[in-house]
């Protein structure tokens, strides 16, 4: 799971990311990656400098490449 947010997000409380991290740790889960974009809002925009959309896309793309999809087993559909 890749959770990213802007430091100045007004839609999702910034503290929720800390809560998410602590819950994953409490449950012994290690499949959470987080990234905070300094000075940015919910849309990773309106930053204290230029927009961080390109950085967000690089981060997300890198995360996806490190976590290839798990192949799914075909599900048998009962005949009618």
């Amino acid at each position: 799971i890749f959770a990213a947010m802007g430091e100045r997000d007004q839609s999702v409380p910034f503290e929720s990311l800390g809560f998410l991290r602590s819950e994953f740790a409490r449950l012994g889960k290690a499949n959470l990656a987080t990234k905070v974009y300094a000075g940015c809002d919910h849309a990773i925009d309106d930053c204290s400098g230029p927009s961080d959309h390109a950085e967000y896309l690089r981060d997300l793309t890198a995360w996806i490449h490190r976590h290839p999809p798990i192949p799914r087993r075909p599900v048998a559909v009962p005949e009618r």
Side-chain angles (χ1 to χ4, degrees):
I1 298 171
F2 180 72
M5 73 181 309
E7 181 181 47
R8 296 183 316 143
D9 192 325
Q10 294 182 348
S11 299
V12 178
F14 183 72
E15 298 78 20
S16 65
L17 191 58
F19 175 76
L20 187 61
R21 289 174 179 153
S22 65
E23 282 298 291
F24 268 69
R26 183 181 69 79
L27 296 169
K29 304 263 183 196
N31 63 332
L32 176 67
T34 61
K35 174 76 185 246
V36 175
Y37 295 89
C40 294
D41 63 8
H42 183 74
I44 314 297
D45 206 2
D46 191 23
C47 305
S48 50
S51 168
D52 282 344
H53 291 158
E55 181 183 356
Y56 166 74
L57 291 175
R58 281 191 304 272
D59 294 340
L60 180 59
T61 301
W63 182 87
I64 289 169
H65 286 290
R66 288 191 310 270
H67 301 87
I70 299 169
R72 297 179 185 235
R73 288 184 252 166
V75 176
V77 177
E79 291 185 34
R80 294 187 162 192

